[in-house]
Amino acid sequence: MKPIILSAFILLFLFSCSKDEAPDAIPESINISGKLLAPNNQDPIVNARVSAMQNNILKAETTTDAQGNFTIALEKGEYTLNLAKGLFTTQKQIVVEQETTLDNYKIETLPNIGVITGSFDNIESVLYGIGLVNPITNEPLFDIIDGITTNKNSHISNQEHLHGLNKSSDLESRNPILDPNVSFSYTDLMSDPTLLASYDILFINCSSHSDNPTYEQNLMDYVNNGGFLYVTDWSSSLLNTVTNNDTDYLSFYTPRRSGQSLSTTATILDGNLSAWLLLNFGISINDTVFIDEFLGSWQVVDSYDPTTTISWLNGVVDYRDNNNVTVTENKDLAFTFLLGQGAVFYSSFHTENDEFDFTTTDRIMEYLVFEMTAIE
């Protein structure tokens, strides 16, 4: 009987010990809410990554919604909060003690940006309007490179008059705050791979560019090595090498510059873009948006590869065929695709205003400015 009594005693002892040891308490999670805005401290940033770090260890992560809001669950303690939309970022130190709503945060760390001026496009106005500006001096926080005087003949061709709808020269109407602010020109930049590589993002406004294989190859190398490139309308000729002469990603319609429609009601193909436009600015109806900033003789994209390329918008437009007959057809209008370590954005429409007030098209471009460095 003794072995039986001893075994029972051991079991009783173990059971008593296990009752005395309290189970590990589950740490309490606390919801922390906030909002991320553009550098102008007004426009919400959608689908930005919000990461909470402790000692360089990721503790929790979430994304912002269409109105820039986020909620992240954290235990009590001190955290580094990293908020990023592609290359546009900010970082904050927070102490979590109880459920709370943080102050609105805005993007504070900017990529190095270069803008090449164009004859018919002013993306620099959009960049300025979203807050890429020194609040003390009112100077833009990006380089502006003269892309007009180095790319135009002393006269304006009839086709350029058509494209510009006989408006006054962009050189005359450009806001002086956004005049070129560097000593080198478009030709200097395009011929110097090292200078190109100094920019994280390069915006090339619509202008008339002649084919130049050296410039085209340098741009392709720039993107392959991690650069982000924005190109609109007539500047499409700079993408000849990138697209392998209309074989990869996009193919441009021939005859070139045959677009005729000056506006279209376009279908928005991305849910985040549609929600962002609707909820923040009230300018998206049933996933459509009215675009009226085409100029005469714009460049039509004939087709694109959906396995490699994102299309953002599609609308019914008119363009001329080889026989100068008008064709009415649905066409995709704006695209993003990855190339090597970087990405390219191309649009058949573009901005044309010289003021800092936002048109519908400007809002679309604003969204895509942040989105182009965030696609994966």
Side-chain angles (χ1 to χ4, degrees):
M1 296 293 292
K2 288 183 178 180
I4 296 176
I5 294 172
L6 180 61
S7 297
F9 176 78
I10 292 172
L11 288 173
L12 181 62
F13 174 79
L14 292 174
F15 180 73
S16 299
C17 290
S18 65
K19 287 181 65 177
D20 292 338
E21 293 177 358
D24 292 338
I26 299 175
E28 180 184 3
S29 291
I30 301 171
N31 286 333
I32 303 299
S33 300
K35 190 180 187 78
L36 180 62
L37 302 172
N40 63 11
N41 209 28
Q42 296 177 5
D43 301 341
I45 300 296
V46 59
N47 208 30
R49 184 171 296 168
V50 182
S51 307
M53 310 289 293
Q54 275 186 336
N55 300 319
N56 294 320
I57 299 173
L58 178 65
K59 293 298 184 178
E61 191 171 58
T62 189
T63 56
T64 58
D65 64 16
Q67 294 178 292
N69 299 311
F70 67 89
T71 299
I72 190 167
L74 299 170
E75 300 171 15
K76 289 184 178 181
E78 298 181 1
Y79 296 86
T80 299
L81 204 61
N82 296 317
L83 304 98
K85 181 67 174 182
L87 299 180
F88 297 85
T89 65
T90 194
Q91 187 179 88
K92 299 293 179 181
Q93 304 299 320
I94 63 171
V95 178
V96 175
E97 295 179 340
Q98 61 184 4
E99 188 167 314
T100 188
T101 299
L102 303 170
D103 294 335
N104 290 347
Y105 294 144
K106 69 175 183 177
I107 289 171
E108 296 176 335
T109 302
L110 306 176
N112 195 22
I113 294 173
V115 176
I116 297 174
T117 61
S119 302
F120 312 107
D121 196 5
N122 288 284
I123 189 64
E124 56 268 38
S125 291
V126 174
L127 299 179
Y128 197 94
I130 61 180
L132 276 63
V133 52
N134 185 312
I136 299 174
T137 65
N138 290 325
E139 296 176 339
L141 294 175
F142 49 91
D143 288 349
I144 303 175
I145 302 108
D146 182 5
I148 298 176
T149 58
T150 54
N151 283 289
K152 297 186 69 174
N153 297 324
S154 58
H155 67 280
I156 298 177
S157 69
N158 289 334
Q159 193 176 34
E160 283 181 308
H161 268 308
L162 177 62
H163 188 62
L165 299 181
N166 295 311
K167 290 186 177 182
S168 61
S169 168
D170 188 70
L171 285 172
E172 297 172 0
S173 62
R174 183 175 302 280
N175 191 311
I177 294 176
L178 300 177
D179 282 343
N181 57 8
V182 296
S183 60
F184 54 89
S185 70
Y186 163 82
T187 54
D188 297 329
L189 178 65
M190 289 296 103
S191 58
D192 188 343
T194 301
L195 187 55
L196 276 171
S198 68
Y199 293 106
D200 298 307
I201 310 176
L202 187 63
F203 293 87
I204 304 180
N205 283 307
C206 173
S207 201
S208 183
H209 298 280
S210 58
D211 292 351
N212 187 312
T214 299
Y215 295 178
E216 295 162 18
Q217 183 62 54
N218 286 345
L219 282 176
M220 183 171 180
D221 293 341
Y222 164 76
V223 179
N224 262 316
N225 293 327
F228 292 87
L229 179 64
Y230 164 107
V231 175
T232 59
D233 204 7
W234 278 17
S235 294
S236 61
S237 61
L238 293 170
L239 298 180
N240 288 339
T241 301
V242 166
T243 63
N244 192 19
N245 293 315
D246 293 354
T247 301
D248 300 329
Y249 308 109
L250 305 175
S251 65
F252 293 104
Y253 186 76
T254 302
R256 297 276 174 141
R257 306 172 182 176
S258 59
Q260 291 183 297
S261 297
L262 300 182
S263 65
T264 186
T265 298
T267 299
I268 302 170
L269 303 178
D270 178 79
N272 282 330
L273 172 56
S274 183
W276 183 79
L277 290 171
L278 176 63
L279 295 176
N280 299 301
F281 310 107
I283 54 176
S284 164
I285 301 174
N286 297 325
D287 294 326
T288 64
V289 65
F290 184 68
I291 299 174
D292 61 352
E293 291 186 23
F294 294 94
L295 298 182
S297 298
W298 51 273
Q299 179 56 53
V300 179
V301 172
D302 189 30
S303 63
Y304 75 99
D305 182 355
T307 65
T308 61
T309 307
I310 298 170
S311 174
W312 298 100
L313 298 150
N314 176 286
V316 177
V317 294
D318 296 335
Y319 59 94
R320 300 182 311 276
D321 66 12
N322 283 314
N323 297 315
N324 206 31
V325 175
T326 298
V327 178
T328 301
E329 192 175 13
N330 263 72
K331 285 294 182 183
D332 293 272
L333 304 170
F335 311 85
T336 306
F337 57 87
L338 296 173
L339 174 62
Q341 299 301 309
V344 176
F345 168 78
Y346 175 79
S347 171
S348 291
F349 59 89
H350 46 66
T351 64
E352 54 179 304
N353 64 309
D354 296 297
E355 303 300 329
F356 303 136
D357 294 334
F358 280 83
T359 66
T360 294
T361 305
D362 292 340
R363 287 298 182 195
I364 294 171
M365 291 303 196
E366 172 186 357
Y367 178 92
L368 294 172
V369 163
F370 291 112
E371 193 67 31
M372 64 185 289
T373 69
I375 65 168
E376 298 176 352

PDB file of all heavy atoms in Angstrom, residues 174-190:
ATOM      1  N   ARG A 174       3.309  81.381 -66.522  1.00  0.00           N
ATOM      2  CA  ARG A 174       3.770  80.614 -65.368  1.00  0.00           C
ATOM      3  C   ARG A 174       3.879  81.483 -64.118  1.00  0.00           C
ATOM      4  O   ARG A 174       4.351  82.612 -64.169  1.00  0.00           O
ATOM      5  CB  ARG A 174       5.129  79.994 -65.682  1.00  0.00           C
ATOM      6  CG  ARG A 174       5.675  79.106 -64.573  1.00  0.00           C
ATOM      7  CD  ARG A 174       6.948  78.456 -65.012  1.00  0.00           C
ATOM      8  NE  ARG A 174       6.730  77.683 -66.221  1.00  0.00           N
ATOM      9  CZ  ARG A 174       6.191  76.470 -66.238  1.00  0.00           C
ATOM     10  NH1 ARG A 174       5.805  75.913 -65.124  1.00  0.00           N
ATOM     11  NH2 ARG A 174       6.045  75.830 -67.376  1.00  0.00           N
ATOM     12  N   ASN A 175       3.433  80.931 -62.989  1.00  0.00           N
ATOM     13  CA  ASN A 175       3.553  81.636 -61.726  1.00  0.00           C
ATOM     14  C   ASN A 175       5.037  81.830 -61.397  1.00  0.00           C
ATOM     15  O   ASN A 175       5.798  80.857 -61.374  1.00  0.00           O
ATOM     16  CB  ASN A 175       2.859  80.827 -60.626  1.00  0.00           C
ATOM     17  CG  ASN A 175       2.706  81.617 -59.354  1.00  0.00           C
ATOM     18  OD1 ASN A 175       3.649  82.225 -58.871  1.00  0.00           O
ATOM     19  ND2 ASN A 175       1.510  81.611 -58.802  1.00  0.00           N
ATOM     20  N   PRO A 176       5.485  83.043 -61.145  1.00  0.00           N
ATOM     21  CA  PRO A 176       6.926  83.290 -60.937  1.00  0.00           C
ATOM     22  C   PRO A 176       7.504  82.545 -59.747  1.00  0.00           C
ATOM     23  O   PRO A 176       8.715  82.317 -59.695  1.00  0.00           O
ATOM     24  CB  PRO A 176       7.006  84.802 -60.747  1.00  0.00           C
ATOM     25  CG  PRO A 176       5.614  85.240 -60.387  1.00  0.00           C
ATOM     26  CD  PRO A 176       4.695  84.287 -61.098  1.00  0.00           C
ATOM     27  N   ILE A 177       6.663  82.171 -58.780  1.00  0.00           N
ATOM     28  CA  ILE A 177       7.164  81.392 -57.643  1.00  0.00           C
ATOM     29  C   ILE A 177       7.738  80.068 -58.127  1.00  0.00           C
ATOM     30  O   ILE A 177       8.646  79.511 -57.520  1.00  0.00           O
ATOM     31  CB  ILE A 177       6.033  81.142 -56.618  1.00  0.00           C
ATOM     32  CG1 ILE A 177       5.587  82.451 -55.987  1.00  0.00           C
ATOM     33  CG2 ILE A 177       6.461  80.151 -55.544  1.00  0.00           C
ATOM     34  CD1 ILE A 177       4.418  82.303 -55.037  1.00  0.00           C
ATOM     35  N   LEU A 178       7.215  79.585 -59.254  1.00  0.00           N
ATOM     36  CA  LEU A 178       7.594  78.282 -59.766  1.00  0.00           C
ATOM     37  C   LEU A 178       8.481  78.375 -61.004  1.00  0.00           C
ATOM     38  O   LEU A 178       8.488  77.484 -61.850  1.00  0.00           O
ATOM     39  CB  LEU A 178       6.334  77.457 -60.047  1.00  0.00           C
ATOM     40  CG  LEU A 178       5.454  77.206 -58.823  1.00  0.00           C
ATOM     41  CD1 LEU A 178       4.202  76.441 -59.193  1.00  0.00           C
ATOM     42  CD2 LEU A 178       6.225  76.465 -57.730  1.00  0.00           C
ATOM     43  N   ASP A 179       9.221  79.435 -61.131  1.00  0.00           N
ATOM     44  CA  ASP A 179      10.218  79.540 -62.188  1.00  0.00           C
ATOM     45  C   ASP A 179      11.364  78.570 -61.907  1.00  0.00           C
ATOM     46  O   ASP A 179      11.580  78.160 -60.754  1.00  0.00           O
ATOM     47  CB  ASP A 179      10.774  80.970 -62.252  1.00  0.00           C
ATOM     48  CG  ASP A 179       9.833  81.931 -62.947  1.00  0.00           C
ATOM     49  OD1 ASP A 179       8.916  81.456 -63.653  1.00  0.00           O
ATOM     50  OD2 ASP A 179       9.992  83.149 -62.768  1.00  0.00           O
ATOM     51  N   PRO A 180      12.110  78.167 -62.933  1.00  0.00           N
ATOM     52  CA  PRO A 180      13.286  77.317 -62.706  1.00  0.00           C
ATOM     53  C   PRO A 180      14.195  77.891 -61.626  1.00  0.00           C
ATOM     54  O   PRO A 180      14.455  79.094 -61.589  1.00  0.00           O
ATOM     55  CB  PRO A 180      13.967  77.304 -64.075  1.00  0.00           C
ATOM     56  CG  PRO A 180      12.839  77.454 -65.043  1.00  0.00           C
ATOM     57  CD  PRO A 180      11.876  78.411 -64.367  1.00  0.00           C
ATOM     58  N   ASN A 181      14.673  77.015 -60.739  1.00  0.00           N
ATOM     59  CA  ASN A 181      15.457  77.477 -59.591  1.00  0.00           C
ATOM     60  C   ASN A 181      16.815  76.779 -59.475  1.00  0.00           C
ATOM     61  O   ASN A 181      17.439  76.800 -58.413  1.00  0.00           O
ATOM     62  CB  ASN A 181      14.656  77.301 -58.296  1.00  0.00           C
ATOM     63  CG  ASN A 181      14.211  75.865 -58.058  1.00  0.00           C
ATOM     64  OD1 ASN A 181      14.620  74.952 -58.772  1.00  0.00           O
ATOM     65  ND2 ASN A 181      13.359  75.658 -57.063  1.00  0.00           N
ATOM     66  N   VAL A 182      17.242  76.117 -60.565  1.00  0.00           N
ATOM     67  CA  VAL A 182      18.576  75.512 -60.586  1.00  0.00           C
ATOM     68  C   VAL A 182      19.322  76.045 -61.804  1.00  0.00           C
ATOM     69  O   VAL A 182      18.717  76.556 -62.753  1.00  0.00           O
ATOM     70  CB  VAL A 182      18.508  73.971 -60.635  1.00  0.00           C
ATOM     71  CG1 VAL A 182      17.874  73.426 -59.367  1.00  0.00           C
ATOM     72  CG2 VAL A 182      17.747  73.502 -61.875  1.00  0.00           C
ATOM     73  N   SER A 183      20.639  75.904 -61.802  1.00  0.00           N
ATOM     74  CA  SER A 183      21.449  76.483 -62.865  1.00  0.00           C
ATOM     75  C   SER A 183      21.561  75.588 -64.091  1.00  0.00           C
ATOM     76  O   SER A 183      21.910  76.042 -65.170  1.00  0.00           O
ATOM     77  CB  SER A 183      22.857  76.787 -62.336  1.00  0.00           C
ATOM     78  OG  SER A 183      23.482  75.597 -61.872  1.00  0.00           O
ATOM     79  N   PHE A 184      21.264  74.289 -63.942  1.00  0.00           N
ATOM     80  CA  PHE A 184      21.392  73.389 -65.084  1.00  0.00           C
ATOM     81  C   PHE A 184      20.050  73.257 -65.810  1.00  0.00           C
ATOM     82  O   PHE A 184      18.994  73.562 -65.268  1.00  0.00           O
ATOM     83  CB  PHE A 184      21.902  72.014 -64.640  1.00  0.00           C
ATOM     84  CG  PHE A 184      21.090  71.375 -63.543  1.00  0.00           C
ATOM     85  CD1 PHE A 184      19.996  70.573 -63.834  1.00  0.00           C
ATOM     86  CD2 PHE A 184      21.435  71.560 -62.210  1.00  0.00           C
ATOM     87  CE1 PHE A 184      19.257  69.973 -62.830  1.00  0.00           C
ATOM     88  CE2 PHE A 184      20.701  70.968 -61.192  1.00  0.00           C
ATOM     89  CZ  PHE A 184      19.608  70.178 -61.506  1.00  0.00           C
ATOM     90  N   SER A 185      20.105  72.792 -67.050  1.00  0.00           N
ATOM     91  CA  SER A 185      18.918  72.714 -67.910  1.00  0.00           C
ATOM     92  C   SER A 185      18.478  71.265 -68.100  1.00  0.00           C
ATOM     93  O   SER A 185      19.120  70.321 -67.611  1.00  0.00           O
ATOM     94  CB  SER A 185      19.228  73.326 -69.274  1.00  0.00           C
ATOM     95  OG  SER A 185      20.140  72.492 -69.985  1.00  0.00           O
ATOM     96  N   TYR A 186      17.415  71.117 -68.843  1.00  0.00           N
ATOM     97  CA  TYR A 186      16.895  69.792 -69.212  1.00  0.00           C
ATOM     98  C   TYR A 186      17.969  68.963 -69.913  1.00  0.00           C
ATOM     99  O   TYR A 186      18.168  67.782 -69.587  1.00  0.00           O
ATOM    100  CB  TYR A 186      15.677  69.989 -70.121  1.00  0.00           C
ATOM    101  CG  TYR A 186      15.276  68.775 -70.913  1.00  0.00           C
ATOM    102  CD1 TYR A 186      14.499  67.771 -70.346  1.00  0.00           C
ATOM    103  CD2 TYR A 186      15.652  68.650 -72.254  1.00  0.00           C
ATOM    104  CE1 TYR A 186      14.124  66.659 -71.087  1.00  0.00           C
ATOM    105  CE2 TYR A 186      15.276  67.544 -72.999  1.00  0.00           C
ATOM    106  CZ  TYR A 186      14.514  66.552 -72.412  1.00  0.00           C
ATOM    107  OH  TYR A 186      14.140  65.458 -73.145  1.00  0.00           O
ATOM    108  N   THR A 187      18.663  69.550 -70.880  1.00  0.00           N
ATOM    109  CA  THR A 187      19.672  68.796 -71.615  1.00  0.00           C
ATOM    110  C   THR A 187      20.833  68.388 -70.710  1.00  0.00           C
ATOM    111  O   THR A 187      21.381  67.292 -70.857  1.00  0.00           O
ATOM    112  CB  THR A 187      20.196  69.620 -72.805  1.00  0.00           C
ATOM    113  OG1 THR A 187      20.650  70.897 -72.336  1.00  0.00           O
ATOM    114  CG2 THR A 187      19.103  69.840 -73.838  1.00  0.00           C
ATOM    115  N   ASP A 188      21.189  69.255 -69.774  1.00  0.00           N
ATOM    116  CA  ASP A 188      22.231  68.899 -68.802  1.00  0.00           C
ATOM    117  C   ASP A 188      21.800  67.686 -67.982  1.00  0.00           C
ATOM    118  O   ASP A 188      22.591  66.759 -67.763  1.00  0.00           O
ATOM    119  CB  ASP A 188      22.511  70.067 -67.854  1.00  0.00           C
ATOM    120  CG  ASP A 188      23.065  71.289 -68.554  1.00  0.00           C
ATOM    121  OD1 ASP A 188      23.772  71.119 -69.561  1.00  0.00           O
ATOM    122  OD2 ASP A 188      22.768  72.414 -68.094  1.00  0.00           O
ATOM    123  N   LEU A 189      20.567  67.705 -67.521  1.00  0.00           N
ATOM    124  CA  LEU A 189      20.065  66.626 -66.667  1.00  0.00           C
ATOM    125  C   LEU A 189      19.950  65.315 -67.431  1.00  0.00           C
ATOM    126  O   LEU A 189      20.410  64.268 -66.956  1.00  0.00           O
ATOM    127  CB  LEU A 189      18.692  67.017 -66.108  1.00  0.00           C
ATOM    128  CG  LEU A 189      17.991  65.983 -65.227  1.00  0.00           C
ATOM    129  CD1 LEU A 189      18.780  65.738 -63.947  1.00  0.00           C
ATOM    130  CD2 LEU A 189      16.569  66.436 -64.893  1.00  0.00           C
ATOM    131  N   MET A 190      19.369  65.362 -68.620  1.00  0.00           N
ATOM    132  CA  MET A 190      19.115  64.133 -69.371  1.00  0.00           C
ATOM    133  C   MET A 190      20.402  63.448 -69.830  1.00  0.00           C
ATOM    134  O   MET A 190      20.423  62.237 -70.039  1.00  0.00           O
ATOM    135  CB  MET A 190      18.260  64.441 -70.599  1.00  0.00           C
ATOM    136  CG  MET A 190      16.819  64.788 -70.311  1.00  0.00           C
ATOM    137  SD  MET A 190      15.861  63.434 -69.577  1.00  0.00           S
ATOM    138  CE  MET A 190      15.817  63.968 -67.877  1.00  0.00           C
TER     139      MET A 190
END
